[in-house]
Amino acid sequence: WYFNDAKQRLAAWDRMIRVGITGSYGKTSAKMILGTILAQRFDTKVTPHSYNTPLGVARVIREQMTGREEVFVAEMGARHRGDIAEMCELVAPQYGLLMSVGPQHLETFGSLDNVARTKYELVEALPSDGWAFFPSDNAVCLELYRRTRGNRILFGIDGHGEPLYMTARDIRVTAEGSRFTLVDGEGNAIECATRLLGRHNIINILGCAAVARKLGLTMNEIAAGIRLAEPVEHRLQLLNTGGSVTVIDDAFNSSPDGAKAALEVLSAFEGRRIVVTPGLVELGEAEERENEAFGRNMVA
């Protein structure tokens, strides 16, 4: 009843732009970045925290939205085949942003191919005039982009021979954040700065910038939103301890690719470095292998 009620409410707000975001990792961070960028022009509602299940998103629609919002950005999580399709039935997105496909939740998915098929449910649910956005720096996503016949957009740092709608040049990554030149497909460029840590967050930003550009934002508006983007709680969040110890809180969740990205961020910091982790879970038969690789990466 709650699902159907939320679905009917959202369908009645037919002028509202609806964006779905999914991925094995990066979707929560991307959702918050996109919300900050789009807020430079639109009245934007983003599902809070990690609300990414049908009933969680339905609750947001029923309890937190009035119908006056211009853009709705919904994060879509999944543990089984069909989960993203169910989310799309609720939200009916016109724009779909796929952030990544990787070996996460293999305990329930069974294989990386099943993960890819499930994430691609977002693209399959888009209307004929909808747009799908793919990162070129993820091999599986690049392959999904190449097989897509509908409206599609590629973003990333290396296009692997494909034209990029949004990319970054002159990247400078430090322990305080990053600076780079944002360049769109027409060659328009602007200098950007962000407090978000890590090269992987630049890819998250590029996906959000691509969606924003497609929705008509100027490069100046996009750069302003990038500058205002805040780290998401428990995701490579710098904590001020008031002393000589720097704490990077990345405790929310992790995948093999996310763990690798976190170690890359940690390598930018000087001094003694300590990793506190319960290890990687829900990886099925790959769990032991991936945790061994995680440990080897720590000391590399």
Side-chain angles (χ1 to χ4, degrees):
W1 186 91
Y2 290 112
F3 180 96
N4 288 331
D5 181 66
K7 178 181 174 181
Q8 291 169 8
R9 291 188 190 208
L10 197 56
W13 303 330
D14 56 356
R15 293 188 178 182
M16 189 181 298
I17 298 167
R18 298 177 300 278
V19 182
I21 298 181
T22 193
S24 298
Y25 49 89
K27 55 185 176 293
T28 302
S29 296
K31 170 187 67 178
M32 303 309 293
I33 296 168
L34 181 58
T36 303
I37 294 175
L38 294 182
Q40 302 305 303
R41 176 174 294 195
F42 298 114
D43 180 348
T44 304
K45 178 62 181 178
V46 174
T47 52
H49 309 298
S50 291
Y51 279 47
N52 60 18
T53 63
L55 287 181
V57 175
R59 182 178 177 184
V60 173
I61 295 168
R62 296 184 68 252
E63 298 178 4
Q64 300 181 20
M65 297 179 66
T66 64
R68 293 190 293 271
E69 297 86 356
E70 295 174 288
V71 181
F72 178 44
V73 180
E75 178 183 346
M76 300 180 175
R79 288 177 179 268
H80 302 88
R81 292 285 301 274
D83 283 355
I84 300 299
E86 183 180 12
M87 290 290 295
C88 290
E89 180 188 348
L90 171 63
V91 176
Q94 302 131 321
Y95 300 85
L97 176 56
L98 177 56
M99 293 309 305
S100 60
V101 172
Q104 194 169 24
H105 302 314
L106 290 182
E107 202 166 66
T108 53
F109 281 117
S111 69
L112 184 61
D113 184 61
N114 282 338
V115 176
R117 289 174 182 269
T118 302
K119 301 304 181 185
Y120 197 71
E121 290 170 4
L122 172 57
V123 178
E124 293 174 324
L126 296 174
S128 59
D129 59 348
W131 286 88
F133 298 77
F134 300 85
S136 64
D137 301 274
N138 181 282
V140 179
C141 291
L142 180 60
E143 181 57 33
L144 293 176
Y145 166 82
R146 285 171 171 162
R147 78 179 225 197
T148 298
R149 293 295 170 261
N151 296 325
R152 58 182 187 166
I153 281 175
L154 194 66
F155 63 88
I157 297 172
D158 182 353
H160 301 280
E162 302 285 354
L164 292 171
Y165 184 81
M166 194 67 69
T167 190
R169 299 174 184 164
D170 305 322
I171 300 171
R172 289 90 73 195
V173 178
T174 71
E176 288 76 39
S178 302
R179 291 183 176 274
F180 57 92
T181 302
L182 183 70
V183 185
D184 70 9
E186 298 178 354
N188 300 301
I190 191 167
E191 290 297 310
C192 294
T194 177
R195 287 175 290 173
L196 303 181
L197 299 177
R199 185 181 177 92
H200 68 289
N201 262 322
I202 295 178
I203 296 175
N204 291 342
I205 288 170
L206 291 176
C208 299
V211 174
R213 193 67 167 148
K214 191 63 185 176
L215 290 178
L217 270 71
T218 67
M219 295 292 277
N220 284 328
E221 289 172 324
I222 293 170
I226 291 170
R227 186 172 60 252
L228 294 173
E230 295 280 353
V232 179
E233 190 176 27
H234 308 309
R235 291 170 177 83
L236 290 176
Q237 179 186 13
L238 273 179
L239 302 180
N240 183 5
T241 65
S244 59
V245 177
T246 298
V247 175
I248 306 172
D249 179 359
D250 196 42
F252 175 78
N253 201 352
S254 194
S255 65
D257 289 330
K260 183 180 179 181
L263 292 177
E264 289 175 355
V265 169
L266 185 61
S267 68
F269 288 77
E270 297 180 352
R272 186 182 184 191
R273 288 161 288 188
I274 299 171
V275 176
V276 181
T277 175
L280 304 170
V281 298
E282 296 184 348
L283 296 179
E285 295 179 356
E287 193 164 293
E288 183 176 353
R289 181 180 71 251
E290 291 293 350
N291 273 291
E292 181 177 352
F294 184 23
R296 292 184 183 279
N297 284 337
M298 288 183 203
V299 297

